[in-house]
Amino acid sequence: MTQLSGNQKRKMKSASRLYAVQALFQMEQSDAGLDKVKHEFLEYRFGAEIEEGTEMIDGDVDFFVKLIEQAVNWQAKLDQMTDRALVAKWQISRIDPTLRALFRAAGAELVALDTPPKVVIKEYVDVTTAFFPEGKEAGFVNAVLDHMAREARPEAF
């Protein structure tokens, strides 16, 4: 088996974060369970050809599975953290479902994995721009994740 470079590993983790947001979104929209969505992503999305000659990047399977499992395990806590990070008039139920999935994936990484908070924030702001290339969402996500990170891992700041 070929050894992956550090850059390839980072790209695979970044892809896994994007896939995790998509998987959590799909679970919420379709009421599909974790196992069904996990299987679908691992079987049909990772490295799939999306159009002639264009392949989706392979993700880090173990990292993807950890992210979505922890997001499901910690969902109530993560949603409460997100609510506290949002301004008083906005509850998590009122925000875009893609952003809700993103906050759950990022929150899971902050709460249950050992990724440095600044890396988590940067990575999920990048994921946000993939979903909302023209919008103001990236700044909003940065602010919410900064608040969540300071709550989850205050020692890192």
Side-chain angles (χ1 to χ4, degrees), residues 23-24 26-27 29-45 64 68-69 72:
L24 293 167
Q26 184 174 325
M27 286 170 60
Q29 296 301 306
S30 68
D31 285 328
L34 174 66
D35 290 335
K36 180 179 183 202
V37 172
K38 178 172 46 175
H39 173 76
E40 180 184 318
F41 271 75
L42 296 178
E43 198 64 33
Y44 302 109
R45 302 264 182 112
F64 166 79
I68 62 172
E69 286 177 349
V72 169

Side-chain angles (χ1 to χ4, degrees), residues 88-147:
K89 294 182 183 97
W90 287 90
Q91 287 125 2
I92 192 166
S93 59
R94 288 187 58 201
I95 64 172
D96 181 279
T98 303
L99 292 177
R100 199 164 38 245
L102 185 140
F103 292 138
R104 288 173 179 157
E109 199 164 346
L110 288 167
V111 168
L113 303 177
D114 59 1
T115 311
K118 287 177 170 43
V119 172
V120 174
I121 293 167
K122 184 200 177 314
E123 285 286 328
Y124 285 97
V125 167
D126 290 348
V127 169
T128 304
T129 58
F131 288 114
F132 303 99
E134 320 227 332
K136 299 178 183 107
E137 290 83 357
F140 172 68
V141 166
N142 187 65
V144 171
L145 290 181
D146 183 68
H147 189 282

Side-chain angles (χ1 to χ4, degrees), residues 65-81:
V65 169
K66 276 186 208 165
L67 274 177
I68 62 172
E69 286 177 349
Q70 294 304 324
V72 169
N73 289 344
W74 292 92
Q75 184 174 327
K77 177 183 173 131
L78 300 174
D79 286 355
Q80 290 167 356
M81 284 175 65

